């Protein structure tokens, strides 16, 4: 089994947490979307949406986050064969879909300095154009991605889009707070796949320096956030990449790659 992902991709984090929590072995392939690696023809042929993560088991390839996680759960159920692992309840699945309804893209971009986002956006557009000329058979799919890149830039200039995303997040976190007043974890007193979906959302807020605005102001959520950060799966999937100098190293390395390729016009 292979997983194509990146440590800072929120959807990748959800899948990797599920893999770690279910003790599923897999081969890891890093694909950095900021440097345009997801636009390479080999990856693009496998997944024309160019989105991460991509999970492959033999000839079976899955792009949808929840579908991947549910597939992982089925593998774990078959592998255990002892009843120790049980199938997710209706409540867990409802929370999974509820969390997945919030798209972090515009919220994240709105909290990144515009000069950085626009530089990367311009670089990605040039990468797409370069790959389009290299692989004319994929031109239609690449053109779709190019159009989406321009549309994203336009939407980021619309205050209503950003306001809608923020309000959606606030409603979600308020619902989570209400639930955590009744249970230790999101769907009961045990860590489930619902929590697997939520933890990366909280990690994204932490990465953006917004813990006080969205997490610490909700007492139960703040307690929950401290609790889940102690899990081995969190430390392996998220903690080791977000902590101190490692976080700065990853961001600095990525930015240097983008700047160097722009200077050399190597897209």
């Amino acid at each position: 089994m292979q997983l194509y992902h990146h440590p800072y991709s929120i959807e990748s984090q959800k899948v990797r947490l599920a893999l770690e929590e279910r003790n599923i072995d897999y081969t890891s392939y890093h694909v950095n979307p900021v440097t345009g690696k997801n636009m390479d023809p080999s990856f693009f042929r496998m997944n024309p949406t160019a989105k991460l993560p991509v999970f492959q088991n033999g000839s079976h390839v899955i792009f949808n986050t929840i579908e991947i996680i549910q597939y992982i759960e089925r593998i774990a159920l078959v592998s255990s064969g002892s009843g120790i692992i049980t199938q997710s309840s209706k409540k867990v699945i409802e929370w999974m879909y509820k969390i997945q309804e919030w798209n972090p893209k515009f919220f994240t971009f709105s909290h990144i300095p515009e000069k950085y986002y626009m530089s990367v956006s311009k670089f990605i557009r040039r990468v797409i154009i370069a790959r389009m000329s290299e692989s004319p058979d994929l031109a239609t799919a690449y053109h779709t991605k190019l159009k989406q890149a321009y549309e994203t830039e336009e939407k980021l200039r619309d205050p209503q889009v950003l306001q809608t995303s923020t309000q959606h997040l606030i409603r979600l976190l308020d619902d989570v707070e209400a639930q955590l007043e009744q249970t230790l974890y999101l769907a009961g007193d045990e860590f489930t796949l619902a929590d697997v979906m939520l933890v990366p959302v909280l990690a994204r807020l932490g990465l953006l320096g917004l813990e006080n605005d969205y997490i610490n102001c909700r007492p139960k959520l703040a307690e929950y956030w401290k609790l889940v950060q102690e899990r081995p799966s969190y430390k392996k999937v998220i903690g080791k990449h977000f902590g101190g100098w490692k976080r700065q190293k990853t961001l600095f390395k990525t930015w240097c790659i983008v700047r160097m390729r722009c200077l050399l016009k190597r897209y």
Side-chain angles (χ1 to χ4, degrees):
M1 290 178 284
Q2 297 85 39
L3 181 70
Y4 299 84
H5 68 98
H6 190 267
Y8 277 28
S9 158
I10 193 169
E11 300 304 313
S12 296
Q13 290 168 0
K14 293 173 184 178
V15 171
R16 289 193 65 216
L17 283 172
L19 286 163
E20 295 298 328
E21 288 288 338
R22 293 295 186 255
N23 295 312
I24 302 295
D25 291 329
Y26 64 99
T27 303
S28 170
Y29 295 99
H30 280 200
V31 180
N32 193 336
V34 179
T35 60
K37 295 300 291 182
N38 57 326
M39 297 299 172
D40 286 357
S42 59
F43 184 83
F44 206 65
R45 290 182 197 281
M46 181 172 57
N47 178 18
T49 70
K51 294 180 180 179
L52 297 174
V54 173
F55 184 81
Q56 183 176 17
N57 187 12
S59 60
H60 195 46
V61 181
I62 316 174
F63 315 131
N64 180 278
T65 299
I66 291 182
E67 289 179 9
I68 295 173
I69 291 175
Q70 291 179 324
Y71 185 82
I72 291 168
E73 182 178 47
R74 290 195 295 271
I75 293 174
L77 286 168
V78 172
S79 300
S80 68
S82 60
I84 296 176
I85 298 176
T86 58
Q87 192 167 9
S88 292
S89 66
K90 181 180 178 182
K91 184 175 183 179
V92 169
I93 294 173
E94 287 176 350
W95 270 111
M96 289 173 66
Y97 278 97
K98 185 182 182 71
I99 294 166
Q100 193 65 7
E101 287 175 359
W102 181 65
N103 186 337
K105 180 170 69 172
F106 295 111
F107 181 87
T108 299
F109 288 157
S110 69
H111 288 86
I112 295 175
E114 185 177 359
K115 64 177 182 179
Y116 294 126
Y117 167 73
M118 292 305 297
S119 294
V120 172
S121 180
K122 185 178 181 180
F123 169 76
I124 293 300
R125 283 189 271 112
R126 288 176 174 174
V127 168
I128 295 172
I129 293 170
R131 299 297 171 271
M132 193 184 303
S133 63
E134 294 172 4
S135 304
D137 59 311
L138 296 172
T140 300
Y142 277 126
H143 187 269
T144 298
K145 293 303 297 181
L146 188 61
K147 181 181 178 182
Q148 289 173 355
Y150 280 112
E151 289 174 348
T152 297
E153 289 184 17
E154 290 180 8
K155 289 181 179 179
L156 277 170
R157 299 187 185 98
D158 185 352
Q160 185 61 45
V161 171
L162 304 181
Q163 183 180 7
T164 299
S165 179
T166 301
Q167 290 175 343
H168 189 166
L169 173 63
I170 290 172
R171 289 195 301 270
L172 172 62
L173 295 181
D174 285 344
D175 289 344
V176 169
E177 177 73 6
Q179 177 61 47
L180 293 176
E181 289 176 353
Q182 304 175 43
T183 54
L184 184 62
Y185 292 104
L186 196 51
D189 291 328
E190 294 184 0
F191 190 92
T192 68
L193 294 180
D195 301 289
V196 161
M197 297 290 290
L198 177 63
V199 168
V201 173
L202 304 182
R204 175 56 55 87
L205 295 173
L207 180 65
L208 295 173
L210 299 172
E211 285 179 288
N212 287 336
D213 295 331
Y214 292 93
I215 299 176
N216 295 337
C217 58
R218 296 174 172 86
K220 290 298 181 181
L221 184 59
E223 292 177 10
Y224 170 90
W225 178 226
K226 290 179 182 178
L227 179 64
V228 296
Q229 288 181 84
E230 295 302 315
R231 296 187 72 83
S233 61
Y234 175 88
K235 293 179 180 179
K236 183 174 182 178
V237 173
I238 300 175
K240 76 174 187 177
H241 297 288
F242 280 25
W245 67 270
K246 290 186 178 181
R247 166 184 170 181
Q248 301 303 324
K249 178 183 176 182
T250 301
L251 293 173
F252 181 73
K253 181 180 178 181
T254 298
W255 180 245
C256 284
I257 290 173
V258 171
R259 293 300 301 157
M260 186 60 67
R261 287 173 62 183
C262 285
L263 289 172
L264 299 175
K265 299 187 183 300
R266 295 182 62 180
Y267 305 111

